[in-house]
């Protein structure tokens, strides 16, 4: 009877061992096929298995203006262009002349005329910077022009087209000479609106105040179409 029980026990032990072996073998196979060995990629020497992330395409931004560079500048609003997206005219793209004007009470108004000599349409908006200069070194004489009137709209110029800004030249002989310190000048140093590169235009027989007169010796208005 004991022999029969012993045989049953041995049979149960063998069955249990076979089941355990089968479980271990199944887990090992699953680990190799599914990479479930602690989250590492054994092929790469135990480094974490790479996770593939689907590529995403950035959503288009509404209202983006494409850059259109056909000359100096970037052709985008970052270079100081106007609200329409037209790039600002640079000094290198412009020629400058001083037109004839009308005399008033103690002053003369003459237009500064900017002409687009470039190959692209560009714009000027607002007030140019204007001051008298003298000497071979082109040093400034007296205060720069003050802005007169309201800020105007964007003036777009196709190649060959012009825009202008009216400048008022005060007769400095009307100021106290001791305060004005009258000084002959060569002409005007002009900065187109938004530019840091200056231009020069001659003014024959002009006189400025090297001192600080009680009123402006020069006034400049906003850009308008020529």
């Amino acid at each position: 009877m004991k022999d029969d029980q012993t045989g049953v026990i041995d049979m149960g032990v063998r069955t249990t061992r076979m089941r355990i072996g089968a479980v271990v073998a199944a887990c090992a196979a699953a680990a190799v096929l599914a990479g479930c060995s602690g989250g590492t990629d054994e092929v790469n020497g135990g480094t974490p298995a790479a996770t593939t992330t689907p590529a995403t395409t950035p959503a288009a931004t509404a209202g983006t203006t494409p850059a259109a560079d056909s000359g100096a500048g970037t052709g985008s609003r970052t270079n100081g262009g106007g609200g329409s997206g037209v790039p600002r005219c640079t000094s290198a793209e412009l020629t400058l002349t001083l037109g004839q004007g009308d005399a008033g009470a103690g002053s003369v108004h003459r237009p500064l005329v900017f002409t687009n000599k470039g190959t692209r349409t560009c714009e000027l908006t607002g007030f140019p910077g204007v001051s008298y200069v003298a000497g071979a070194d082109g040093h400034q004489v007296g205060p720069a022009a003050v802005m007169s009137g309201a800020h105007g709209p964007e003036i777009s110029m196709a190649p060959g087209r012009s825009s202008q800004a009216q400048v008022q030249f005060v007769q400095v002989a009307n100021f106290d000479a001791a305060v004005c310190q009258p000084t002959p000048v060569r002409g005007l140093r002009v900065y187109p609106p938004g530019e840091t590169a200056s231009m020069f235009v001659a003014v024959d027989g002009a006189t400025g105040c090297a001192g600080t007169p009680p009123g402006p010796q020069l006034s400049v208005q906003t850009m308008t179409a020529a």
Side-chain angles (χ1 to χ4, degrees):
M1 189 67 180
K2 290 181 179 178
D3 292 340
D4 293 341
Q5 290 178 349
T6 300
V8 171
I9 291 171
D10 291 342
M11 181 66 71
V13 170
R14 286 195 297 270
T15 302
T16 300
R17 289 175 177 174
M18 291 175 64
R19 288 176 179 174
I20 291 173
V23 171
V24 171
C27 182
V32 172
L33 295 176
C36 58
S37 55
T40 62
D41 182 357
E42 299 298 338
V43 175
N44 294 327
T47 57
T51 301
T52 302
T53 303
T56 57
T57 301
T61 303
T64 301
T65 303
D69 185 9
S70 59
T74 63
S76 68
R77 295 185 188 185
T78 57
N79 79 326
S84 67
V86 177
R88 185 182 64 229
C89 299
T90 65
S91 297
E93 295 175 290
L94 299 170
T95 57
L96 179 63
T97 57
L98 184 62
Q100 298 301 314
D102 300 322
S107 65
V108 177
H109 290 81
R110 300 179 67 179
L112 278 174
V113 181
F114 299 85
T115 301
N116 181 0
K117 68 176 182 180
T119 58
R120 65 175 185 172
T121 297
C122 58
E123 62 83 25
L124 292 175
T125 306
F127 303 86
V130 181
S131 59
Y132 279 131
V133 292
D137 60 350
H139 63 272
Q140 182 171 324
V141 174
V146 300
M147 293 181 292
S148 176
H151 189 288
E154 173 183 316
I155 307 299
S156 181
M157 297 184 295
R161 302 302 298 270
S162 301
S163 61
Q164 64 184 19
Q166 291 289 335
V167 177
Q168 181 182 21
F169 299 80
V170 172
Q171 298 291 349
V172 298
N174 294 331
F175 294 133
D176 182 348
V179 176
C180 171
Q181 301 176 30
T183 303
V185 297
R186 294 172 49 206
L188 301 174
R189 177 183 293 121
V190 178
Y191 292 90
E195 263 287 78
T196 57
S198 66
M199 306 179 72
F200 173 80
V201 61
V203 182
D204 296 333
T207 301
C209 291
T212 304
Q217 61 177 347
L218 295 167
S219 299
V220 61
Q221 298 179 17
T222 193
M223 299 298 307
T224 61

